[in-house]
Amino acid sequence: MTIRISWGITGCGDYLKESLDIMKDLAKEHDLDVRVFLSQAGEMVVKWYRLFNELKTSFPKTYSEKSPNVPFLVGDLQLGKYDFLVIMPSTSNTVAKIAAGISDTLLSNAAGQAMKAKVPVYIFPADQKKGEIVTDLPGGKKLTLTMRDIDLEAVEKLRKMKGITVLGHPREIRDIVRKHIENKK
C-alpha cells in the first residue's frame, strides 16, 4: 500500500543533502508518493546548494511556496490525502513560528493545520543541540554556527506539542516510514 508523504524543505542548508539522499533511498525501497513543498527560502537554498535539478528529477511533484495557502497543501492535509507531513531540514525561523502558533508561511501553516486535523507532523530542526555545529557550505567550505538559547527553547516547545515529533537526525525518518507501512497492512 502506498504511503503518501508531504515533505517540506525550508531555507536550512544544514543536513539538506543528507535529507535528500535519505528520501531518495526511501522512495526506491518502498512504495511512496512523495510530494515536495519548498518554502520561498527553501527554494533559494536548494538552488544555492545546486540540488534543485536532483530534487526535481528524483521528486517530480515538487512545488514552491507562493503564499501560506498556495500551493494548497493545507487542504490536502485536512482531507487526509497524506499519511504525514515531514519538515526536514527546518530552519530555526520555521521552528519558532510553529512553536508560537504563527501560520504565515506555507510550512508553518501546513504544520498547524495538520496538527488540528490529527495528521502526524515530523520535524528535523538543524538547530537543536547546545553548543556549536559545523555545517557544509556550497563549494565545500565549512561554517561553524553557535546555537542560540531562543532557538533551543523553541525546539523544546515543539517537543511538548501534541501531534509533533521532533527528529534528532534525518535518518530517523526511515523508522517512521516503516512504522506507517506496518500500520497500513
Side-chain angles (χ1 to χ4, degrees):
M1 190 160 244
T2 303
I3 300 295
R4 295 196 46 159
I5 301 171
S6 53
W7 174 23
I9 300 175
T10 69
C12 179
D14 199 24
Y15 290 95
L16 179 59
K17 177 67 172 145
E18 293 91 335
S19 297
L20 175 57
D21 289 343
I22 289 166
M23 293 302 287
K24 283 170 45 180
D25 289 346
L26 285 169
K28 288 177 189 169
E29 296 166 11
H30 303 286
D31 183 15
L32 304 180
D33 178 5
V34 179
R35 312 273 171 114
V36 180
F37 297 88
L38 299 169
S39 70
Q40 290 176 354
E43 180 178 358
M44 182 205 62
V45 169
V46 168
K47 288 178 178 177
W48 191 48
Y49 277 83
R50 294 184 175 94
L51 295 171
F52 190 74
N53 289 339
E54 181 181 348
L55 178 69
K56 285 283 287 182
T57 300
S58 301
F59 301 99
K61 296 172 184 171
T62 295
Y63 309 94
S64 296
E65 174 180 17
K66 306 289 184 251
S67 79
N69 279 314
V70 179
F72 198 47
L73 172 57
V74 167
D76 287 343
L77 285 164
Q78 290 173 331
L79 292 173
K81 292 185 178 180
Y82 294 101
D83 293 289
F84 62 87
L85 167 66
V86 59
I87 302 174
M88 175 179 82
S90 179
T91 59
S92 56
N93 184 53
T94 299
V95 168
K97 286 182 179 206
I98 295 168
I102 299 170
S103 299
D104 65 349
T105 65
L106 179 68
L107 296 176
S108 63
N109 191 28
Q113 296 305 314
M115 290 186 307
K116 289 179 184 180
K118 296 186 176 143
V119 175
V121 177
Y122 303 97
I123 186 164
F124 170 69
D127 301 349
Q128 62 176 292
K129 293 181 182 151
K130 194 168 185 70
E132 294 182 341
I133 62 166
V134 178
T135 187
D136 295 320
L137 295 173
K141 288 187 179 180
K142 303 285 185 191
L143 175 66
T144 300
L145 300 172
T146 303
M147 297 305 102
R148 303 179 310 167
D149 288 341
I150 195 164
D151 298 328
L152 301 174
E153 290 164 10
V155 172
E156 288 310 308
K157 191 169 182 183
L158 281 187
R159 289 186 203 284
K160 296 174 184 169
M161 295 176 82
K162 187 174 182 175
I164 288 191
T165 301
V166 174
L167 306 178
H169 191 278
R171 69 178 161 262
E172 292 176 25
I173 198 68
R174 292 180 184 282
D175 289 335
I176 290 161
V177 167
R178 287 186 197 106
K179 179 185 87 172
H180 282 273
I181 289 169
E182 287 300 314
N183 289 344
K184 279 214 168 185
K185 288 183 179 178

